[in-house]
Amino acid sequence: MSEKPMERLDRRDFMIASIATVGASAALVAGAGTADAQEAAAVSANPGAGTVYTGDMIRGKKVVSALDVNDLEAGQKHLLYFQGVEAPTGQHWYVSVTVAKGAKPGKRIVLTSGVHGDEMSSIHTVQTVMNQLDPAQMSGTVMAVTDVSRPALESMQRRWPNQGRGIDLIDMNREWPGNENGLTAPSRHAGLLFNRLLRPNADAAIDFHTGTTGFEVSAFNIGETERPEVKAMLDLYPVGQILNMPKAAYPTVLHNAFIDAGIPAFAPEIGAARVLNYEMIGLFVEGTMNVLRHHGILAGSMGRTGKDIAVFVGNSGFPVLATAGGLVEHLVKLNDKVEPGQKVAIQRNSFGEVVAEYTSAVAGEVMGQRCDAMSEPGNPLVLVLFNKPTPDGVEIYPE
Ligand SMILES: [Zn+2]
């Protein structure tokens, strides 16, 4: 029943957990050896080296193991499979590639979804954009890869069930830019995709996500507003929040791998995992079509942008963590403004007694909420987007 001034302590624990996770991935990649790194660098230093058809067909679609969209016929849509990493059975994980190749040359934009396997609205957003494109009217190329982490998608879960030493679950958005000779299948898959499919065909890139199972988020974009080319794209979305997240917070996520390769990129977040949120999808489709107009790929006037709504920009996420077990009742909604000390949730035990009350320690806007109704101690219950005076780039958002 007590007001627990524990947010500060809990938040630090949350930060430490995040660092440990990221650090573990980085150590594995580093352990793969410098010879491998050199080989990967040699491959990626030669983008656009040409399209390689394996000779296979899957359900009437040609299979490629490398793609240069310049090789494809202009003014058409092309549906291909890209041959990803080889699995224990000797078969490969293929990913679905849609290319809308404009009749006229121009910029090349890459859209990705499914890096996490439970994020359905991200896939539907990309599909909807691609279905609206008419290559005959386009100047430039849009390539979509909708099912990046195939094994995770097969079970509609966030992480890739890796087989190396018994099953372990690997977050593919801690693996980029990957390593074609890495220790795990997700690392090798990321390396193949990044070197032979994504990077060579991107002048700009957007990697679509949603919240995760059990934790829903608002409609917002993650990107560094200090980068003019990124900010120009972020400003074209009629969505209410931007998380200005420094690259240092999560260097191995896909959109930051693009940034490291000199390619402007960011990551939309589209509501809850596992479901389709059509209202939010519509906002991100509208924004993405604006981005294609911004790059001259589509003609015509802009739809609604960030100028048409109130956009809240923050540089940090403040997690309010559960300190007890029990049912959680939220007292605020996504996008609500909150003040320091404002009560945001309560929790009841199995008798219905209130065992915890939770407050925000910062002023900001609600960007995420636990949507599984029961929680144990340590789970984030509410995430508040706010502006930290001196951002440290550590705790932010469990992207
Ligand atoms: Zn995600």
Side-chain angles (χ1 to χ4, degrees):
M1 192 79 174
S2 60
E3 285 272 350
K4 295 182 179 171
M6 293 186 66
E7 277 84 13
R8 192 170 299 274
L9 175 65
D10 291 340
R11 187 163 143 229
R12 193 176 63 215
D13 292 345
F14 180 77
M15 288 158 53
I16 291 167
S18 301
I19 295 165
T21 307
V22 173
S25 300
L28 269 180
V29 172
T34 50
D36 295 344
Q38 284 165 5
E39 199 167 319
V43 171
S44 59
N46 191 21
T51 301
V52 178
Y53 290 94
T54 66
D56 298 323
M57 297 276 283
I58 299 176
R59 295 191 171 178
K61 297 178 174 69
K62 290 179 179 170
V63 177
V64 296
S65 58
L67 181 66
D68 180 347
V69 294
N70 293 318
D71 296 335
L72 300 175
E73 192 171 336
Q76 289 188 13
K77 268 185 193 167
H78 303 267
L79 308 183
L80 303 163
Y81 280 110
F82 177 85
Q83 179 178 281
V85 72
E86 186 173 342
T89 54
Q91 302 191 49
H92 292 262
W93 287 110
Y94 298 96
V95 299
S96 310
V97 183
T98 306
V99 181
K101 175 85 182 281
K104 296 177 188 161
K107 290 270 191 68
R108 303 160 308 152
I109 309 297
V110 167
L111 311 177
T112 50
S113 62
V115 170
H116 291 133
D118 56 352
E119 303 186 352
M120 302 299 118
S121 286
S122 68
I123 297 171
H124 196 269
T125 301
V126 175
Q127 290 175 342
T128 305
V129 168
M130 296 308 290
N131 285 336
Q132 290 186 8
L133 298 180
D134 176 5
Q137 306 297 322
M138 288 167 50
S139 302
T141 300
V142 183
M143 181 178 84
V145 184
T146 51
D147 47 9
V148 169
S149 186
R150 277 279 318 286
L153 278 156
E154 299 295 354
S155 49
M156 218 164 88
Q157 63 184 355
R158 178 181 175 88
R159 299 180 182 87
W160 177 306
N162 187 56
Q163 315 289 333
R165 299 167 182 83
I167 290 288
D168 52 0
L169 297 172
I170 294 180
D171 187 334
M172 208 183 167
N173 217 20
R174 300 294 181 275
E175 296 290 338
W176 303 97
N179 179 342
E180 293 188 17
N181 299 299
L183 290 177
T184 67
S187 171
R188 295 192 296 276
H189 190 70
L192 289 168
L193 264 66
F194 198 73
N195 296 332
R196 299 165 189 256
L197 180 65
L198 302 177
R199 179 184 178 278
N201 294 304
D203 294 316
I206 311 174
D207 181 35
F208 293 80
H209 287 258
T210 75
T212 195
T213 297
F215 193 86
E216 65 180 330
V217 300
S218 62
F220 68 99
N221 281 309
I222 301 173
E224 287 184 289
T225 58
E226 287 80 5
R227 297 178 189 273
E229 288 176 303
V230 173
K231 184 176 189 302
M233 293 192 281
L234 296 177
D235 287 343
L236 294 176
Y237 283 79
V239 302
Q241 294 176 346
I242 293 174
L243 170 55
N244 176 23
M245 187 171 86
K247 184 164 68 78
Y250 296 100
T252 55
V253 302
L254 177 53
H255 78 267
N256 282 332
F258 278 115
I259 293 281
D260 280 337
I263 298 162
F266 62 97
E269 297 282 342
I270 313 170
R274 309 190 77 79
V275 297
L276 297 181
N277 184 320
Y278 294 105
E279 190 179 337
M280 288 189 188
I281 288 168
L283 299 177
F284 284 96
V285 169
E286 192 166 357
T288 304
M289 298 300 277
N290 287 339
V291 167
L292 300 183
R293 293 183 191 101
H294 167 74
H295 287 291
I297 295 172
L298 301 182
S301 54
M302 293 280 177
R304 290 173 298 168
T305 71
K307 286 184 185 149
D308 297 308
I309 58 161
V311 180
F312 182 83
V313 184
N315 64 16
S316 294
F318 181 88
V320 178
L321 301 192
T323 56
L327 281 172
V328 178
E329 297 175 28
H330 289 292
L331 305 177
V332 291
K333 301 188 303 297
L334 292 172
N335 293 95
D336 277 0
K337 292 199 183 300
V338 296
E339 294 298 327
Q342 182 176 340
K343 203 183 296 182
V344 294
I346 63 169
Q347 196 172 25
R348 295 178 190 275
N349 64 12
S350 297
F351 298 96
E353 299 170 300
V354 175
V355 291
E357 298 183 340
Y358 300 98
T359 58
S360 174
V362 298
E365 277 192 17
V366 177
M367 70 188 302
Q369 285 184 317
R370 183 171 176 84
C371 52
D372 277 0
M374 191 169 258
S375 177
E376 63 184 359
N379 287 328
L381 300 180
V382 180
L383 191 63
V384 180
L385 179 63
F386 77 112
N387 277 294
K388 186 181 264 187
T390 49
D392 52 25
V394 180
E395 108 288 4
I396 289 190
Y397 170 73
E399 169 35 58

